[in-house]
């Protein structure tokens, strides 16, 4: 199963650490996890070290409506290319 996780950023924080642990301790090792983040950070590097594919949208202004709309469109397009079975989003800005 292909699982895509969408999160606003991957700096160190509670939701970001939870995401890293969720993927690390996922019960089915055959599932593929992919992370889409509006911007990267320390957790992105740690996920890549575990061979998790991380896409960074490089949207540093997710609070700005113009940038949020542009990022939402880019995420939508990427999800269409990845064709995940499941999408899990974390934090308010990833739930757009």
């Amino acid at each position: 199963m292909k699982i895509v996780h969408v999160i606003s950023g991957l700096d160190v924080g509670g939701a970001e650490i939870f995401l890293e642990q969720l993927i690390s301790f996922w019960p089915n090792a055959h599932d593929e996890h992919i992370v889409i983040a509006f911007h990267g950070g320390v957790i992105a590097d740690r996920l890549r070290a575990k061979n998790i594919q991380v896409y960074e949208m490089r949207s540093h202004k997710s609070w700005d409506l113009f940038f949020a709309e542009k990022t939402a469109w880019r995420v939508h397009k990427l999800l269409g290319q990845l064709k995940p079975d499941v999408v899990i989003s974390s934090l308010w800005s990833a739930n757009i």
Side-chain angles (χ1 to χ4, degrees):
M1 178 167 48
K2 185 184 287 188
I3 303 163
V4 172
H5 304 268
V6 182
I7 192 164
S8 56
L10 289 170
D11 290 320
V12 176
E16 297 81 1
I17 292 171
F18 176 79
L19 173 61
E20 179 186 21
Q21 291 177 349
L22 178 67
I23 293 171
S24 296
F25 297 107
W26 193 262
N28 188 346
H30 299 291
D31 289 337
E32 177 185 5
H33 293 270
I34 299 169
V35 176
I36 299 174
F38 294 174
H39 57 273
V42 175
I43 303 297
D45 297 334
R46 294 189 338 204
L47 289 169
R48 287 188 182 106
K50 297 176 183 178
N51 295 318
I52 303 297
Q53 191 171 13
V54 177
Y55 291 91
E56 295 179 31
M57 298 290 101
R58 304 208 187 276
S59 173
H60 298 288
K61 297 181 179 181
S62 60
W63 51 267
D64 185 312
L65 291 178
F66 172 76
F67 288 99
E69 183 177 339
K70 184 176 177 182
T71 300
W73 178 250
R74 291 171 58 204
V75 170
H76 174 75
K77 186 176 173 183
L78 182 56
L79 287 171
Q81 294 169 355
L82 295 173
K83 298 185 182 346
D85 298 302
V86 177
V87 176
I88 301 172
S89 63
S90 304
L91 300 174
W92 70 269
S93 56
N95 290 315
I96 49 179

